[in-house]
Amino acid sequence: MSSFITMQLQQIWDKTLDLIKENSKVDTANFSVWFDGSQLFDIRDDLAIITVPYKVNKQIISDLYKDLIKEKLSIVLEHEVECQILLKKEVDSEYINKDALRRSNILFEDKINPEYTFDSFVVGKNNREAHAASLSACYYPGKFNNPLFIFGNSGLGKTHLLHAIGNYIKENRPEDKVLYIYSEDFVTLLIEAMKNKNVEEVKEKICSADYLLIDDIQRLKQSTSQELFFNMYNKLIRDNKQIVITSDIHPTELKGIENRLISRFSSGLSVSVGSPEFETAKAILQKKIEGRNEEILIEDEVLDYLATRFASDVRKLEGALNELFFKSILYNPDTIDLKFAKEIFKENPMTVTNDELSVNKIKKAVCDFYGLTKTQIESKSRTKNIANARHIAVYLCRKHLDMPFAKIGLEFGNRDHSTIMSSYEKMVKLLKDKEQFQQALQQIEKQLGIQ
């Protein structure tokens, strides 16, 4: 559109129509028939666009009155203009399509965050496999791990890895095309394409990507979108294009996603990202401090405190550090020590419920704290963060429910009572020797309302 607003255009057109009515060539009857419903839609440079409701109006005005309109409109505008007569639906269609194209282009824009690189990603036991698989997807696109499916709770670094892949490709293979898109934006894109009947054009644009990076696939629940995605997915795989998908759960646990899609997601490589163990959480904090300009000294035990309390969510961990530095600027302590940090992060009031404590509630509280799923904590996995979470859950069941080891074993993947006894004794030792486990236990017990 030009710089003219609708009111200005209407005023200009009203004046023009008044001049046309005064002309002897146009009688009142013809004027009412042919000019009824006409509008001055826009003025672009020296071109005036006039819309009419019906084909017959367009035909008659174009043949008999176009020169007259041009003359009178030029008088009103005080400069020469050309005229174009169009049907209103032609103009509406043109602008609807342009608006749809604009929205579509926004969704196709480069959304790779330059700060999320492999160099800025802190690797630990909780994410080493996902990190290695992501690098492999960069080195050998479409060959081995296709699709690469990265799953884990929110805030643990899955999106960081997607952006890291995008940044790596942009830097090392700029000729390759990378498309990063959030799954809900993907649905919006396909719905718009169906409305505007340009589905094939959108599909072609998506399938032209060498890397398709889709975030939070569990939100792809619109059935028609799944059908279209299924077809595009198959084409991308056939063309050896690399697909990387993230989700908050393993592909086999996805709800509302068609089985044939789940089957294809499972055919590639699925790797989990868990909550960082203490050492990784602390390394993340140290990495974040390196990039800051603040000169306030933060004591090492404060990092231990943050790493223990907020390790279940990397975003919360980083947010806690940001809050700590902000409050230090506000209150200006000589150093950020443990006393200052504990004052800033005072415990939330304990919520005591009358609900009876159960194994399931203990499992849920432990899983929430460590950013794990119930399936993981009951699994045979010996990954350190999963094993430690399992040890705490077993300890809590024994301590607060006074359950026999054999019964606890049945609740945790049908384990032998001797295995559960060993798990319990290991946690007893860790609680004596490691402060981070003491703090973790306190947090979980407070969440359960059993301190």
Side-chain angles (χ1 to χ4, degrees), residues 153 275 311-312 357-374 376-378 385-397 400 412 427 437 440-448 450:
N153 284 354
S275 294
S312 63
L357 189 64
S358 66
V359 176
N360 282 334
K361 286 181 182 177
I362 289 174
K363 285 180 184 178
K364 184 178 186 307
V366 173
C367 287
D368 288 346
F369 183 84
Y370 281 97
L372 300 172
T373 66
K374 184 182 174 184
Q376 287 176 306
I377 205 171
E378 294 174 353
N385 65 316
I386 295 177
N388 286 337
R390 191 184 300 120
H391 295 330
I392 283 189
V394 166
Y395 176 87
L396 286 167
C397 288
H400 294 288
F412 285 83
M427 182 48 58
F437 287 104
L441 185 68
Q442 288 171 7
Q443 290 291 322
I444 295 167
E445 287 182 326
K446 177 154 283 194
Q447 181 66 29
L448 290 165
I450 52 177

Side-chain angles (χ1 to χ4, degrees), residues 196-288:
N196 296 294
K197 300 179 181 179
N198 65 333
V199 172
E200 291 306 316
E201 180 183 336
V202 170
K203 284 169 62 177
E204 185 177 345
K205 201 167 184 178
I206 292 171
C207 290
S208 69
D210 297 290
Y211 280 79
L212 178 60
L213 314 176
I214 301 185
D215 215 351
D216 281 344
I217 197 68
Q218 73 274 5
R219 299 182 184 276
L220 187 72
K221 293 183 178 179
Q222 209 269 350
S223 58
T224 308
S225 299
Q226 289 188 37
E227 175 68 31
L228 291 171
F229 179 66
F230 178 78
N231 294 329
M232 286 184 282
Y233 175 95
N234 287 337
K235 177 170 173 43
L236 287 163
I237 293 292
R238 282 197 307 268
D239 293 343
N240 294 320
K241 305 294 186 68
Q242 181 66 51
I243 300 174
V244 186
I245 300 169
T246 71
S247 171
D248 57 1
I249 52 179
H250 190 275
T252 57
E253 298 179 31
L254 287 168
K255 306 296 183 186
I257 304 293
E258 294 180 9
N259 287 334
R260 57 180 179 170
L261 276 174
I262 292 174
S263 173
R264 278 156 177 78
F265 296 160
S266 303
S267 68
L269 175 66
S270 298
V271 289
S272 67
V273 176
S275 294
E277 72 282 2
F278 173 79
E279 291 81 4
T280 305
K282 187 172 181 180
I284 291 171
L285 292 170
Q286 291 168 333
K287 188 92 172 178
K288 292 296 176 182

Side-chain angles (χ1 to χ4, degrees), residues 117-170:
T117 65
F118 284 116
D119 287 339
S120 63
F121 187 82
V122 177
V123 182
K125 293 179 181 178
N126 63 304
N127 57 29
R128 184 169 285 119
E129 289 182 1
H131 176 264
S134 298
L135 279 173
S136 176
C138 293
Y139 300 151
Y140 311 104
K143 292 186 178 179
F144 304 116
N145 307 325
N146 205 16
L148 172 58
F149 195 101
I150 305 171
F151 68 97
N153 284 354
S154 177
L156 298 179
K158 304 186 301 294
T159 297
H160 189 138
L161 286 172
L162 280 188
H163 287 271
I165 292 170
N167 281 311
Y168 180 93
I169 300 306
K170 287 169 68 176

Side-chain angles (χ1 to χ4, degrees), residues 334-382:
D334 294 331
T335 60
I336 299 176
D337 58 17
L338 187 58
K339 181 180 178 182
F340 179 80
K342 285 187 174 181
E343 179 65 24
I344 296 302
F345 301 111
K346 286 180 179 177
E347 303 290 346
N348 293 328
M350 184 173 63
T351 303
V352 180
T353 66
N354 294 322
D355 295 338
E356 186 178 350
L357 189 64
S358 66
V359 176
N360 282 334
K361 286 181 182 177
I362 289 174
K363 285 180 184 178
K364 184 178 186 307
V366 173
C367 287
D368 288 346
F369 183 84
Y370 281 97
L372 300 172
T373 66
K374 184 182 174 184
T375 301
Q376 287 176 306
I377 205 171
E378 294 174 353
S379 71
K380 303 298 182 182
S381 173
R382 296 185 179 181

Side-chain angles (χ1 to χ4, degrees), residues 80-92:
E80 287 286 328
V81 291
E82 292 295 327
C83 295
Q84 184 178 13
I85 314 299
L86 295 172
L87 288 174
K88 186 177 185 302
K89 67 179 182 180
E90 291 175 331
V91 174
D92 288 345

